[in-house]
Amino acid sequence: MTYWSTAAAIALSSFALVATVTSAIVALGGPRLARRLARYAPASRAGLLFRLRVLPAALATVWAFGVALPIYLWFEPRDADETLARTLIVFALIGLSLLASGAWRAGAAWRATRLVRRGWQLRGRRLDVPGIPMPVFGIDESFPTVAVVGFSRPALFIAERLLRECSEDEVRAMLLHECAHVSSRDNFKRFMMRACPDFVRRGGALDLAWASAAEEAADATAVAARPSSAFDLAHALIRVARLAPRPFPPELASAFYLGGSIESRVRRLLDPNAAPEYTRPLGCVMATAVLLLAGLVVLAAPTLHQVMEQAVRLLP
């Protein structure tokens, strides 16, 4: 029992330590990086910001359950009888609480979104919209809602007042904007960021920067096939912003208007000059780094085990 208790404590405490350190780094450097990325195309910016946002949880998971735990199980004898240090127990409890809170947030967001979707579908009317690859419902809402809800089986909802007050071209542009969110799997990314077991503040600067970039990327995708529709989308955005005093989209929904200033979105829609793409092969670099790290871990596994042993023994 002591063997498995120690294994769990080492994995969870490693998770807590890495999550804490990387969360602090991301929280401090994330807003600065977001400002530096502002000149790049929205899709590139959104992709980089999402990777940065989930980095603490990803690194903590890989280190705890892909490095620390396997090394312990590989080298530690089963008959070892060690007393767990109080510090190790405290860090293990922190790691466990991080994982539990992430799971709780994910479940709460899932349930809340499911309830909203069910209610909207029950009192909404199904719309037949050619070219939209998901169910579309008109809902009787005072708020000018245009949102894709869910990620496994998404549905698109639009307020009846917008169908009455907006032109057909404007409605079409808004629906294509929401389809772009589905293509980019933005609701799934929202779910991942919501569930991340880390110390990065939810709804903080990094989350807001990603949301802004995702909206601008969806705008760009919506008008890519027909550039002349940029004016319709910009006009629809201005109209919705004027009608919406305070947006309140469900947790796992991509809403057309999220509140705040729309100046940058309107400018990007009406400015024909395209922003540069971020051309550095970040995905290849990260994959290569992971492979190199895995190789180093395998080669240095005995040394890492000794370091872990010494660290555990020195803990009070």
Side-chain angles (χ1 to χ4, degrees):
M1 186 63 179
T2 304
Y3 176 82
W4 293 108
S5 298
T6 305
I10 286 176
L12 291 172
S13 58
S14 298
F15 184 93
L17 181 61
V18 175
T20 301
V21 173
T22 52
S23 292
I25 294 173
V26 168
L28 291 174
R32 182 179 179 183
L33 178 62
R35 290 191 296 270
R36 294 188 63 179
L37 293 174
R39 68 186 184 90
Y40 290 105
S44 295
R45 184 158 33 101
L48 289 169
L49 290 172
F50 173 73
R51 293 184 181 94
L52 181 64
R53 177 61 185 81
V54 300
L55 184 63
L59 284 180
T61 301
V62 170
W63 181 260
F65 303 105
V67 177
L69 181 59
I71 286 178
Y72 178 85
L73 297 177
W74 188 3
F75 290 100
E76 191 69 15
R78 296 296 181 94
D79 57 353
D81 187 13
E82 298 179 352
T83 302
L84 291 178
R86 290 189 295 271
T87 306
L88 188 65
I89 295 175
V90 170
F91 272 96
L93 291 175
I94 293 174
L96 182 62
S97 66
L98 281 174
L99 291 170
S101 62
W104 183 87
R105 285 192 303 270
W110 182 279
R111 288 190 298 271
T113 303
R114 185 178 180 182
L115 288 174
V116 171
R117 172 172 173 162
R118 182 183 299 174
W120 281 355
Q121 283 191 209
L122 287 175
R123 59 189 177 86
R125 65 182 181 96
R126 183 72 178 264
L127 303 177
D128 183 16
V129 185
I132 302 299
M134 74 189 84
V136 182
F137 297 88
I139 54 175
D140 189 11
E141 283 280 328
S142 59
F143 186 87
T145 301
V146 188
V148 168
V149 180
F151 59 84
S152 57
R153 290 180 296 174
L156 202 161
F157 298 90
I158 182 169
E160 295 281 4
R161 66 182 298 190
L162 292 181
L163 296 175
R164 294 190 300 267
E165 298 179 20
C166 295
S167 69
E168 183 177 339
D169 288 338
E170 289 172 351
V171 171
R172 182 75 179 177
M174 287 188 287
L175 296 182
L176 290 177
H177 168 98
E178 297 305 317
C179 289
H181 281 302
V182 176
S183 299
S184 300
R185 300 184 63 81
D186 286 337
N187 282 353
F188 179 71
K189 293 173 183 177
R190 290 181 191 278
F191 176 76
M192 293 291 294
M193 291 189 292
R194 184 71 175 169
C196 276
D198 54 33
F199 290 105
V200 181
R201 188 167 71 89
R202 271 79 196 165
L206 197 56
D207 287 16
L208 294 176
W210 174 83
S212 176
E215 291 303 321
E216 292 179 6
D219 288 340
T221 302
V223 303
R226 191 166 66 93
S228 60
S229 65
F231 179 80
D232 296 322
L233 189 59
H235 194 268
L237 179 58
I238 294 171
R239 187 191 299 273
V240 171
R242 286 175 177 172
L243 294 173
R246 184 179 176 185
F248 51 95
E251 293 277 4
L252 305 182
S254 293
F256 179 61
Y257 175 61
L258 297 173
S261 175
I262 60 172
E263 180 181 357
S264 63
R265 289 179 64 183
V266 173
R267 285 184 180 276
R268 284 188 181 273
L269 283 167
L270 301 182
D271 187 358
N273 296 321
E277 296 285 349
Y278 192 88
T279 55
R280 297 179 185 177
L282 184 62
C284 295
V285 171
M286 293 177 67
T288 303
V290 169
L291 291 175
L292 289 175
L293 179 61
L296 290 175
V297 167
V298 172
L299 294 175
T303 304
L304 288 174
H305 177 255
Q306 293 178 4
V307 171
M308 290 167 54
E309 281 281 318
Q310 292 298 322
V312 169
R313 289 173 183 171
L314 291 175
L315 290 175

